[in-house]
């Protein structure tokens, strides 16, 4: 089974998160696509890159099921497996509470990364997994 993680390609905080996922997913089950890209536009996900409260989107390839905000984080933990599965029981916390925390981080993500005019080039492993 595979997943596609749609992320804000203009956000250094989000891009750093993608690089972390690559490091913790040696089997390469998670692929990536920027929310500003063609695939996100085709799927109708482009609006989730909004700096005022953007969201990552995780889509399971086997059935096309889409996970947003904190649900996406929990499903990503399930996808990565191993030690990350300790976060899966977070689904027991009511979604509205999880999403409040998620939205606060999303609204402040540029501040966390101190957005600058630089671009981190993807390494070879990440480049193989990026979908447009």
């Amino acid at each position: 089974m595979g997943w596609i993680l749609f992320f804000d390609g203009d956000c250094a905080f989000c891009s750093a998160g993608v690089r972390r996922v690559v490091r913790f997913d040696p089997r390469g089950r998670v692929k990536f696509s920027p929310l500003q890209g063609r695939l996100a536009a085709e799927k109708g996900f482009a609006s989730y890159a909004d700096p005022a409260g953007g969201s990552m989107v995780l889509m399971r390839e086997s059935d096309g099921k889409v996970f947003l905000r904190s649900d996406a984080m929990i499903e990503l933990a399930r996808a990565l497996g191993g030690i990350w599965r300790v976060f899966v029981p977070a689904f027991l916390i009511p979604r509205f509470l999880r999403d409040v925390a998620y939205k606060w981080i999303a609204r402040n993500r540029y501040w966390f990364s101190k957005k600058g005019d630089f671009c981190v080039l993807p390494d070879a492993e990440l480049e193989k997994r990026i979908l447009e």
Side-chain angles (χ1 to χ4, degrees), residues 9-117:
D10 292 337
C11 171
F13 181 78
C14 304
S15 295
V18 165
R19 287 190 303 279
R20 259 184 237 107
V21 171
V22 169
R23 197 169 60 237
F24 294 115
D25 180 29
R27 294 177 287 185
R29 298 188 317 160
V30 180
K31 296 179 193 105
F32 307 93
S33 182
L35 286 165
Q36 295 82 359
R38 178 188 52 78
L39 183 58
E42 287 173 7
K43 299 288 184 187
F45 300 150
S47 65
Y48 288 104
D50 176 20
S55 178
M56 80 170 186
V57 178
L58 187 67
M59 186 176 79
R60 196 166 43 208
E61 289 182 299
S62 63
D63 59 4
K65 184 165 182 178
V66 173
F67 301 88
L68 301 174
R69 294 182 272 292
S70 62
D71 287 342
M73 297 296 290
I74 293 168
E75 181 66 13
L76 182 59
R78 182 177 289 125
L80 292 175
I83 190 75
W84 297 103
R85 284 181 133 353
V86 301
F87 294 106
V88 173
F91 77 89
L92 296 171
I93 299 169
R95 180 181 293 134
F96 76 92
L97 291 176
R98 288 185 277 128
D99 282 349
V100 165
Y102 183 94
K103 287 176 185 178
W104 182 83
I105 292 169
R107 272 193 315 275
N108 293 288
R109 67 189 189 273
Y110 292 121
W111 182 83
F112 289 131
S113 63
K114 305 293 186 199
K115 183 179 179 184
D117 293 327

